[in-house]
Amino acid sequence: MKKLDRYILKQYLKTFFFFLLISTMITVAVDYSEKADAFIKSGLSASEIFYKYYIGFIPHITALLFPVFVLIAVVFFTSRLAARSEVVAMLSVGVGLRRFLLPYWIGSSLLAMLLLFSNHQLVPVANRIRTEFEARYINDPDPAQRSASQYQSNLHFRVDTFTYAGMRYFDTAIKNGSGFYLQRLKNNQVVYNIRSENFQWDTTTKRWKLQNVVERKIDGMKESVRYFPDTSMQLGYLPSELVGDHYRKDKLKTSALEKLIRQERLRGAEGINAMLFERYRRDANAISVIIMTLMGAILASRKARGGSGLHLALAFVIGVAFILFDKFSMVFSVKANLPPLIAAWLPNVIFSVVAMQLFVKAPK
């Protein structure tokens, strides 16, 4: 790495982290002003609010807007280089555009690896902290809604490829219910059925305990019926998994998320596309850092009459367009059955094409 590379890389990283700090402070201030009433009603001190909410909110919003922050930071310092004719001087002495972009490649690769690690390991933990605080103090429903979410009725789900189960009533607070059934199929025929009047989750054995159980085994025209006062069994479901959690996929590290996807596929559950999109988005979002960096560097390396202001305006427009494309892709994947892999990577593909067009037209 030559002196020129170190100079550009230093300017890149210094500008980005400074801009990230300022943007985070502004974002926190805006978020606090919107949630001030909820914070006051919670009765928590400033330090408690920070450690119970903002310690999770800051990584979440930073990872979400990370590519946009990179784009604006790159455009800002590169346009300053162009305004001082430093870029023209580099190109005029034989430094080609490809060589000029080398330190941008290096810097963006470092930031992409940082974001990749955060998306897989750190941000899910932060999301757990943030969503738990929001559920308790900000989005706390009224008593009627809270009661409805606590008492679940008529739940039906698939345990594995050939086994189905359900329950008439389940209390998520005390983890018991009534009207449980489980049946197993073979060649589209019921070969096993078990029913229980009452059931509960045994926290000691981590199994479901059934009471007043009737078990039926069917073999062609033969049927055997047995009665048990109580028994226990594994369902592959925890009590927390019987209640829908919109943010569940966001709170799991990638290894746990992949395990959940395999499990839900086996169960034939709905909402697989949303989980798959989140899994692929964690990789695609990191690669977008490199794309945004190169696009910003090429865009701002040309000296413009409007100066840095014009370049920054274009950067904001591109950043907003990238976020919109990402959100639209998610909606099409979840609602319109667009393959999650394509949906997650589509914004990167589109903006890569734009970056290539800018590179072709840029002065070399």
Side-chain angles (χ1 to χ4, degrees):
M1 186 181 295
K2 296 184 178 181
K3 187 174 183 180
L4 177 62
D5 299 322
R6 291 195 297 270
Y7 171 70
I8 294 177
L9 183 59
K10 179 181 178 182
Q11 292 294 320
Y12 177 12
L13 297 178
K14 182 175 67 175
T15 305
F16 167 73
F17 284 111
F18 177 77
F19 183 79
L20 181 65
L21 176 62
I22 297 300
S23 301
T24 301
M25 293 172 62
I26 295 173
T27 304
V28 169
V30 172
D31 182 76
Y32 182 85
S33 65
E34 293 179 350
K35 298 182 173 67
D37 292 340
F39 292 151
I40 294 173
K41 292 179 182 179
S42 69
L44 300 175
S45 64
S47 60
E48 288 177 319
I49 292 173
F50 177 80
Y51 286 109
K52 292 184 178 181
Y53 176 67
Y54 282 108
I55 203 71
F57 173 80
I58 291 174
H60 161 74
I61 197 66
T62 299
L64 181 66
L65 301 177
F66 199 94
V68 179
F69 291 160
V70 167
L71 173 64
I72 296 175
V74 168
V75 168
F76 178 75
F77 90 85
T78 305
S79 64
R80 292 181 61 192
L81 295 180
R84 296 194 296 259
S85 299
E86 294 183 50
V87 177
V88 175
M90 297 175 195
L91 298 178
S92 64
V93 297
V95 177
L97 184 60
R98 293 176 183 270
R99 182 64 182 82
F100 170 72
L101 293 176
L102 177 60
Y104 291 93
W105 273 103
I106 297 173
S108 62
S109 298
L110 294 175
L111 294 180
M113 288 188 289
L114 174 62
L115 180 59
L116 186 66
F117 174 77
S118 299
N119 283 342
H120 287 299
Q121 301 296 327
L122 303 181
V123 176
V125 177
N127 283 333
R128 186 180 304 116
I129 297 172
R130 176 183 60 87
T131 54
E132 288 177 357
F133 184 93
E134 289 179 345
R136 181 174 181 181
Y137 296 105
I138 298 176
N139 300 327
D140 189 29
D142 58 45
Q145 292 177 325
R146 193 181 305 115
S147 176
S149 64
Q150 177 180 344
Y151 304 111
Q152 302 292 318
S153 60
N154 297 321
L155 296 176
H156 306 277
F157 48 90
R158 189 160 84 170
V159 178
D160 56 40
T161 308
F162 304 105
T163 307
Y164 299 83
M167 55 195 69
R168 184 172 61 250
Y169 164 86
F170 182 65
D171 188 331
T172 61
I174 58 178
K175 299 180 179 61
N176 67 10
S178 62
F180 172 82
Y181 78 89
L182 181 143
Q183 59 186 20
R184 188 172 296 115
L185 305 180
K186 184 178 181 180
N187 298 326
N188 294 325
Q189 299 291 328
V190 178
V191 296
Y192 180 82
N193 178 277
I194 186 171
R195 294 182 178 272
S196 170
E197 292 184 8
N198 302 292
F199 66 95
Q200 63 182 3
W201 173 253
D202 192 333
T203 56
T204 303
T205 61
K206 305 299 182 183
R207 296 169 66 90
W208 292 95
K209 186 176 181 181
L210 311 181
Q211 300 173 345
N212 299 325
V213 182
V214 177
E215 180 188 60
R216 286 183 170 87
K217 295 182 179 179
I218 305 170
D219 183 10
M221 299 299 295
K222 299 180 181 179
E223 179 181 2
S224 62
V225 181
R226 297 171 57 188
Y227 170 79
F228 302 96
D230 61 73
T231 187
S232 63
M233 64 186 306
Q234 290 275 10
L235 284 180
Y237 280 83
L238 298 174
S240 59
E241 296 175 336
L242 296 177
V243 183
D245 184 358
H246 177 71
Y247 298 104
R248 185 181 177 191
K249 65 183 185 305
D250 303 319
K251 297 187 290 186
L252 295 176
K253 294 183 179 180
T254 299
S255 57
L257 178 60
E258 291 174 342
K259 180 180 178 181
L260 175 65
I261 291 172
R262 291 193 298 268
Q263 188 179 51
E264 293 301 293
R265 274 177 168 166
L266 178 64
R267 296 168 176 172
E270 298 180 352
I272 298 294
N273 276 4
M275 300 179 192
L276 288 170
F277 180 85
E278 171 63 21
R279 170 61 187 89
Y280 297 137
R281 186 199 63 82
R282 295 181 182 184
D283 294 332
N285 197 33
I287 300 302
S288 64
V289 171
I290 300 177
I291 298 172
M292 292 292 107
T293 296
L294 298 179
M295 183 184 298
I298 298 170
L299 180 69
S301 62
R302 180 181 298 181
K303 192 172 184 179
R305 185 172 298 178
S308 299
L310 177 60
H311 289 153
L312 288 174
L314 290 174
F316 276 107
V317 171
I318 294 173
V320 171
F322 179 80
I323 294 175
L324 290 177
F325 269 104
D326 184 65
K327 295 302 180 183
F328 281 135
S329 296
M330 180 183 67
V331 172
F332 283 126
S333 176
V334 176
K335 304 296 184 181
N337 293 323
L338 179 67
L341 181 61
I342 296 176
W345 285 91
L346 185 60
N348 283 355
V349 173
I350 294 174
F351 282 86
S352 294
V353 173
V354 175
M356 287 298 297
Q357 291 297 319
L358 291 175
F359 178 81
V360 170
K361 296 181 179 180
K364 307 297 189 294

